[in-house]
Amino acid sequence: MSLAGALILISSAYFLGRAIAVREGEVLKALDSVINMLRFVYRRMETENTPLYLLFEKYKDGYLEDTGFLPILRSHGNLASRFWSEAVDKLSLTSEAKTELLHFGETLGALDLESQLKRINACMDFLGQERERLRVSVPLKQKSIKTVSFLFGALTAIVLL
């Protein structure tokens, strides 16, 4: 095996690890997007008493659009709360965050305004805590993934030499 082949092997392993690490970072992006959407929903419900289905029509977020979360909710209009779990499945979130969002979706549009606003606040608080926890652990996990993939590529190249 030549030096060029070894470098290609090491580089390939590193970039594969880097791609996996980027995917791990999507969890934070998803949490930020969902929290921002919940803030928007809260403000609109509190100040304008906007119907739920119109809230999803007006909200714009690149990540939530690209994953299909918002398009699912928009396509069902007044029945958006029935398709909440399908939309949540599109997001790259931890199982804890998904569970919280699914519980939130069970009450979506079914509570009086005051109770709905309290539920939104509780969901935002939980997701905010989850985001802060992940802000510490995700970068460390990403660094570990990149390091292990580089070392795996290097070890494989050494073995093949």
Side-chain angles (χ1 to χ4, degrees):
M1 178 181 205
S2 69
L3 181 62
L7 290 175
I8 290 172
L9 183 62
I10 293 169
S11 298
S12 298
Y14 174 76
F15 286 112
L16 177 63
R18 189 171 170 182
I20 294 168
V22 166
R23 177 94 171 129
E24 288 292 321
E26 281 189 30
V27 173
L28 286 172
K29 192 175 190 177
L31 279 170
D32 284 336
S33 291
V34 170
I35 290 169
N36 289 335
M37 182 197 67
L38 290 174
R39 282 188 190 128
F40 173 83
V41 167
Y42 184 91
R43 282 193 306 268
R44 292 297 173 111
M45 287 178 77
E46 182 182 47
T47 58
E48 301 170 9
N49 203 11
T50 306
L52 194 61
Y53 71 96
L54 289 177
L55 293 172
F56 299 124
E57 288 294 328
K58 294 178 182 181
Y59 189 70
K60 306 286 185 239
D61 181 279
Y63 175 80
L64 296 178
E65 298 281 351
D66 293 344
T67 58
F69 178 83
L70 285 174
I72 287 172
L73 296 178
R74 287 182 187 139
S75 66
H76 298 293
N78 267 342
L79 303 174
S81 59
R82 291 186 189 171
F83 295 92
W84 182 261
S85 62
E86 182 183 332
V88 169
D89 284 339
K90 301 284 185 185
L91 301 174
S92 296
L93 293 171
T94 61
S95 60
E96 295 86 3
K98 277 190 178 185
T99 301
E100 179 65 22
L101 280 175
L102 291 173
H103 288 305
F104 171 74
E106 292 170 359
T107 62
L108 194 60
L111 301 174
D112 62 278
L113 180 62
E114 187 177 323
S115 299
Q116 190 71 68
L117 293 175
K118 286 180 183 177
R119 187 66 187 107
I120 292 170
N121 263 333
C123 189
M124 284 192 301
D125 289 344
F126 179 86
L127 295 176
Q129 291 171 1
E130 183 75 0
R131 179 180 56 191
E132 292 311 311
R133 184 183 68 79
L134 290 173
R135 281 206 176 141
V136 173
S137 65
V138 166
L140 295 173
K141 190 173 182 181
Q142 288 176 315
K143 188 174 182 177
S144 296
I145 289 169
K146 288 188 251 184
T147 302
V148 167
S149 64
F150 174 78
L151 292 174
F152 177 76
L155 181 63
T156 305
I158 290 170
V159 168
L160 293 177
L161 285 175

